[in-house]
Amino acid sequence: MKRTLIRLSALLFTLHASLAGSPPKDFTQENPEQRAQRMAWFNAARFGMFIHWGVYSVPAGEWQGKTNYGEWFMEETKMPVSQYENYARQFNPVKFDAKAWVRLAKDAGMKYIVITSKHHDGFGLWPSAQTDWSIKSTPFHRDPLAELATACKQAGITLCFYHSIMDWHHPDWGTRRAWNDLATGTPDMDRYVDYMKAQIKELITGYGPLGILWFDGEWEKPWTHERGVDLYNYVRALQPNIIVNNRVGKGRTGMGGMDKGQGVGDYGTPEQEIPPTGFGPGVAWESCMTMNKHWGYNKNDQNWKSTEVLVRNLVDCASKGGNYLLNIGPTSEGLFPPASVERLGEIGKWMKVNREAVYGTTASPFPKLPWGRCTKKVQGKSTTLFLHVFDWPADGKLLVPGLKSSVSKVYLLADKKHTALKTLSSGAGLGISLPAQAPDARSSTVVVKLREELRVE
Ligand code: FHN
């Protein structure tokens, strides 16, 4: 009863405030402590799954003899929108199993999933009340996002939505395509923003608490910084603790993904690249990458990155204080490509041994390490360094340059007995004697427990 009264009074307060015409709250003026609290899960997670799924998976990258298409199929083929809509009628992912997808992500060590609720083609992956251009117009009379939300909740995985600001299908998107043969009238961006906000409200209020709203497609002229600030505040007002990436505004410097200043959004979004260094404490970022060459499913693209490259990318991001968002492009049947499943399984085996050297870590205190990377974990007064050795020294001698702190224990993370490794401090830093064989050629972790505060020269 008391809880209901509290809720009722909060609702009345909000109602009064809005009737009184008080200005909407500017969430960009959040204090550092509030921001740190809101970003904590993201910064600890370090590893997520990106999913690009939509009707573009039906042609699977192939059209009129060309085989290099992906989620940009409509734009790159310049297919009349009326013809492109036929793919929705063929989109029937009868093999879609949300629990299986979430299990694959969780077993790979991923802590969150970002799935395309709407990509640039405007197709809604959920039964939106705002348009028929959604899963409603397919033979698949289910709600994949609802099934994914349930599976994520059961598995303790954070669900996030990717939502494209740019919309090649909607008649009011400001830069209308010549091949949008269904659009009539003059584009009206205010009307478009109302439509986009109505869809976003469905997503934020209909699928449980979300981790991130991952905006994209912000680069075209009709979108402005001011509209970005407004959209950021709109989203945060609907779910105050949600995280919004920097593509809600206009601050992103191309694929480098970081803000050039005057941006809006909570973190930077390098794409298909990893920054050369981190950006210091308090600057959150996430590098998103494909596993082959396409975001959306392309049946001919067999350019798969090796598991070694994927593991080292994850370690590289974590060593610079960032996250790794690794993409899957499911088929129109609702399956992850076998090559993706294979790599997810291999990454999962590596994470089973090395996850504590990734989750909850912060950036390396060393400028550059010739043999690999380093992540750091501070728990109370104790500091642990995780040395990720890519190039195992042939002579068994590993030097941590400049490390001056005394150490209490050094051991291989893969060694369940935590057998102490011999160390020798010198003017050059800390020398560690390693066994001849690396536990994992892709990346092996040496744990260095410091006895005192961290000192690096
Ligand atoms: O145009 C999109 C592209 O299709 C894909 O979604 C990537 C992934 O972040 N983002 C844009 C390109 O920067």
Side-chain angles (χ1 to χ4, degrees):
M1 182 59 182
K2 190 166 173 263
R3 186 193 293 258
T4 313
L5 281 174
I6 292 168
R7 281 191 177 147
L8 195 61
S9 58
L11 185 67
L12 288 173
F13 173 78
T14 314
L15 199 60
H16 169 71
S18 57
L19 289 176
S22 57
K25 182 173 176 184
D26 182 357
F27 287 91
T28 63
Q29 303 311 309
E30 181 180 47
N31 71 45
E33 294 70 37
Q34 289 168 326
R35 174 183 154 77
Q37 196 178 8
R38 185 166 58 91
M39 297 298 293
W41 75 264
F42 175 83
N43 290 324
R46 291 289 172 248
F47 193 24
M49 177 182 277
F50 215 168
I51 300 177
H52 277 69
W53 197 36
V55 298
Y56 44 75
S57 64
V58 173
E62 201 161 62
W63 172 249
Q64 292 183 340
K66 289 188 179 169
T67 59
N68 196 32
Y69 299 114
E71 71 292 348
W72 274 61
F73 186 92
M74 185 204 284
E75 184 83 351
E76 292 171 348
T77 61
K78 295 184 175 42
M79 177 182 283
V81 170
S82 59
Q83 186 181 346
Y84 183 83
E85 285 195 351
N86 289 325
Y87 289 125
R89 297 179 188 83
Q90 303 166 54
F91 186 71
N92 189 14
V94 291
K95 294 179 182 173
F96 171 68
D97 176 348
K99 280 190 177 173
W101 282 17
V102 172
R103 172 52 53 200
L104 285 166
K106 182 163 187 169
D107 288 353
M110 294 157 157
K111 292 286 192 183
Y112 60 104
I113 291 175
V114 182
I115 185 166
T116 49
S117 49
K118 184 192 86 166
H119 204 263
H120 310 330
D121 63 0
F123 179 79
L125 207 52
W126 80 103
S128 170
Q130 312 306 322
T131 175
D132 288 337
W133 180 232
S134 77
I135 200 80
K136 291 189 306 193
S137 306
T138 74
F140 191 69
H141 297 298
R142 287 159 47 186
D143 181 345
L145 298 191
E147 294 177 27
L148 212 48
T150 303
C152 282
K153 187 169 184 213
Q154 287 168 349
I157 295 289
T158 302
L159 178 64
C160 313
F161 291 144
Y162 163 115
H163 203 79
S164 177
I165 291 166
M166 175 171 65
D167 190 319
W168 297 326
H169 184 279
H170 198 282
D172 284 326
W173 174 251
T175 39
R176 185 183 294 174
R177 269 57 185 172
W179 46 93
N180 189 344
D181 57 345
L182 299 181
T184 57
T186 308
D188 178 327
M189 271 301 284
D190 290 337
R191 198 165 49 203
Y192 174 72
V193 170
D194 289 346
Y195 164 83
M196 179 169 63
K197 283 181 173 178
Q199 285 205 317
I200 286 168
K201 186 172 184 177
E202 290 176 351
L203 292 168
I204 293 184
T205 59
Y207 295 88
L210 300 176
I212 302 166
L213 246 185
W214 211 102
F215 286 106
D216 199 13
E218 83 288 2
W219 52 84
E220 293 200 336
K221 270 205 175 39
W223 196 250
T224 65
H225 168 74
E226 291 69 25
R227 288 191 186 280
V229 174
D230 170 62
L231 185 57
Y232 178 84
N233 281 319
Y234 177 77
V235 167
R236 290 284 310 279
L238 285 170
Q239 190 189 313
N241 283 336
I242 200 166
I243 292 172
V244 181
N245 73 350
N246 68 348
R247 301 189 185 189
V248 67
K250 301 289 277 193
R252 171 167 69 123
T253 47
M255 291 311 192
M258 301 308 287
D259 268 2
K260 48 186 180 268
Q262 298 304 317
V264 57
D266 299 315
Y267 70 88
T269 52
E271 179 172 322
Q272 301 288 38
E273 62 182 68
I274 296 171
T277 64
F279 302 92
V283 178
W285 59 276
E286 168 201 75
S287 181
C288 60
M289 286 196 186
T290 53
M291 219 183 255
N292 54 10
K293 300 264 187 210
H294 290 84
W295 298 101
Y297 177 59
N298 178 302
K299 64 185 174 187
N300 294 294
D301 181 354
Q302 296 308 323
N303 305 286
W304 300 99
K305 296 178 178 82
S306 68
T307 301
E308 178 175 286
V309 166
L310 300 174
V311 163
R312 291 185 178 186
N313 284 346
L314 170 61
V315 166
D316 194 16
C317 288
S319 77
K320 294 164 180 172
N323 289 12
Y324 188 45
L325 188 64
L326 182 57
N327 184 73
I328 303 287
T331 68
S332 60
E333 287 186 305
L335 296 175
F336 287 1
S340 300
V341 172
E342 181 190 347
R343 283 154 181 76
L344 288 174
E346 291 170 349
I347 296 168
K349 286 185 194 134
W350 184 87
M351 280 296 274
K352 214 167 173 61
V353 174
N354 300 281
R355 57 186 167 214
E356 74 177 88
V358 175
Y359 297 146
T361 62
T362 52
S364 167
F366 305 101
K368 202 154 177 65
L369 295 166
W371 36 259
R373 302 291 185 272
C374 173
T375 53
K376 183 179 77 177
K377 195 174 276 185
V378 179
Q379 286 157 313
K381 290 195 180 310
S382 82
T383 298
T384 303
L385 298 177
F386 297 100
L387 310 179
H388 302 267
V389 185
F390 296 170
D391 305 321
W392 199 255
D395 62 0
K397 297 272 176 263
L398 188 77
L399 175 67
V400 187
L403 181 58
K404 294 297 173 193
S405 314
S406 60
V407 299
S408 58
K409 191 163 188 183
V410 178
Y411 58 89
L412 291 175
L413 189 52
D415 171 9
K416 288 193 174 61
K417 295 188 191 120
H418 293 184
T419 317
L421 298 174
K422 282 196 177 58
T423 63
L424 180 64
S425 288
S426 70
L430 180 73
I432 302 170
S433 298
L434 298 178
Q437 190 68 34
D440 190 321
R442 296 165 299 192
S443 181
S444 297
T445 307
V446 177
V447 182
V448 179
K449 295 270 185 196
L450 301 188
R451 189 190 305 277
E452 57 176 348
E453 65 169 2
L454 174 63
R455 283 183 297 116
V456 177
E457 278 169 22

